Amino acid sequence: MRTIEIITANGFPFNGTLGIKSHAHAFYQIFYTTEGCANYVYEGKSLDVRRGSFLFVHPNREHGLPVDQPGSRVLDIKFNVRDEELAARLSPLPPLVTCTEPMQTLLALADSEAQKKDAFYSNTLSTLLETLLYMALRESCPQYRSSGVGVLNMLDCDYTKLSECVRKTLLRIEGAIVQGPDQSVLNETAQAVGYSKSYMCRRFSEEMGMTVLQYITLLRMDKAKELLLNSENSISEIAELLYYSDLTRFCKVFKKHTGQSPTQYRQQPAQQHTSLVYSYRKFIDS
């Protein structure tokens, strides 16, 4: 199942004299102005969407386009997000998103796919849109902005100098922390990377300066931060999702790593949140 399910995608010139009646729907929608500009109404607020920006419509949010607008050309994409983690991350994304050059390039490719509708166009659009949304989160949401501060930097660790065993372990564990308790993750990871558990754990400790279980805990705490900021899950639900059967233990571990209780972390102003460092991929891909 794809993360993004495309419902419709069309690029067309828009006659602003017609307008779009205010309405809401259960799916996501993007209006990207490729030419001209348009003044949308979103949840009662007026938003000026020009070339180089797009309107991001969250599910069940009122939006429309008043009559007597200047003419424009619009890329209109309607879609569902099937991945719960991405959907939770999207909740703080503002309705008006300013695009960087790479984002504009992705939207230009999406516009071309929407126009031509060649074979596999919806698959291609799904991939383009998923990448666009992660870029939008990074650019528009303060909690995802960082200056390269990540787990590897914190540990003063150069990924390129790690052994194949440790590199594979890092990649495998990242996606496994929400799939089972610690020992289960250890056993599954050792099997997946093709090394014995004892060898994997020994090499990891030697090269990373921490045990595999300490690393798993570090990732679980960063995941907890993300869920506290970007989901409506209760603290007990987050603890359960991260395989802490004892809520008291979860809160104790979280405070040890952040200096705050989960409740305090969730309630503090966004600009004071500590950087989320969950994911090695930005180091691997760069």
Side-chain angles (χ1 to χ4, degrees):
M1 182 178 69
R2 286 192 164 272
T3 300
I4 305 293
E5 177 190 60
I6 303 298
I7 300 173
T8 62
N10 296 289
F12 53 87
F14 185 78
N15 183 348
T17 60
L18 299 177
I20 300 175
K21 185 178 179 180
S22 184
H23 65 291
H25 40 64
F27 49 83
Y28 294 87
Q29 188 170 14
I30 282 177
F31 291 103
Y32 177 61
T33 304
T34 57
E35 295 177 12
C37 64
N39 190 267
Y40 292 84
V41 174
Y42 185 88
E43 293 284 278
K45 294 182 179 180
S46 179
L47 297 175
D48 191 20
V49 182
R50 298 179 178 273
R51 180 179 174 84
S53 62
F54 65 82
L55 180 71
F56 181 73
V57 180
H58 291 265
N60 305 311
R61 301 292 179 89
E62 289 281 342
H63 60 283
L65 186 64
V67 297
D68 298 327
Q69 294 284 320
S72 60
R73 187 179 180 283
V74 176
L75 171 63
D76 175 8
I77 306 177
K78 300 179 178 70
F79 60 98
N80 289 312
V81 176
R82 296 304 184 191
D83 181 78
E84 293 183 3
E85 183 175 314
L86 177 56
R89 285 174 170 167
L90 290 174
S91 60
L93 190 66
L96 184 60
V97 178
T98 301
C99 300
T100 61
E101 287 189 15
M103 291 164 67
Q104 291 184 53
T105 298
L106 288 172
L107 284 161
L109 291 170
D111 187 33
S112 176
E113 291 293 331
Q115 294 292 330
K116 296 177 181 178
K117 290 185 170 58
D118 290 334
F120 312 117
Y121 89 94
S122 62
N123 294 23
T124 304
L125 270 175
S126 176
T127 301
L128 291 170
L129 194 53
E130 182 178 2
T131 304
L132 173 72
L133 292 175
Y134 278 113
M135 285 187 171
L137 285 171
R138 191 166 55 193
E139 294 297 325
S140 302
C141 299
Q143 61 267 39
Y144 293 114
R145 295 186 199 133
S146 69
S147 56
V149 178
V151 175
L152 291 177
N153 288 29
M154 291 169 63
L155 300 175
D156 192 25
C157 180
D158 184 351
Y159 177 84
T160 62
K161 295 181 180 179
L162 298 174
S163 66
E164 180 185 37
C165 173
V166 174
R167 290 200 303 268
K168 286 183 176 180
T169 302
L170 290 172
L171 284 174
R172 188 71 185 188
I173 289 178
E174 179 184 334
I177 62 167
V178 293
Q179 296 176 5
D182 290 357
Q183 290 300 324
S184 174
V185 171
L186 271 181
N187 293 332
E188 188 276 340
T189 300
Q191 182 177 9
V193 301
Y195 296 92
S196 71
K197 186 168 69 171
S198 60
Y199 178 81
M200 177 190 74
C201 291
R202 178 171 60 81
R203 291 302 302 267
F204 194 95
S205 296
E206 290 173 350
E207 297 180 38
M208 296 296 293
M210 66 191 312
T211 68
V212 180
L213 288 178
Q214 287 172 329
Y215 169 64
I216 291 172
T217 299
L218 187 61
L219 289 188
R220 290 198 197 279
M221 291 303 101
D222 273 351
K223 188 64 177 177
K225 293 179 193 177
E226 183 179 323
L227 292 169
L228 286 166
L229 295 181
N230 301 312
S231 79
E232 296 181 357
N233 295 90
S234 68
I235 293 171
S236 60
E237 289 172 337
I238 292 172
E240 183 177 355
L241 176 65
L242 296 176
Y243 290 90
Y244 283 90
S245 56
D246 184 341
L247 178 59
T248 300
R249 179 172 176 270
F250 168 75
C251 293
K252 182 178 181 180
V253 174
F254 187 89
K255 188 168 185 178
K256 178 182 177 181
H257 280 260
T258 66
Q260 297 174 302
S261 70
T263 300
Q264 291 170 328
Y265 186 86
R266 175 170 262 175
Q267 291 177 346
Q268 71 180 358
Q271 65 269 24
Q272 295 180 17
H273 288 139
T274 55
S275 298
L276 294 172
V277 295
Y278 177 74
S279 183
Y280 276 80
R281 289 198 177 95
K282 62 182 175 182
F283 298 96
I284 294 165
D285 295 339
S286 60

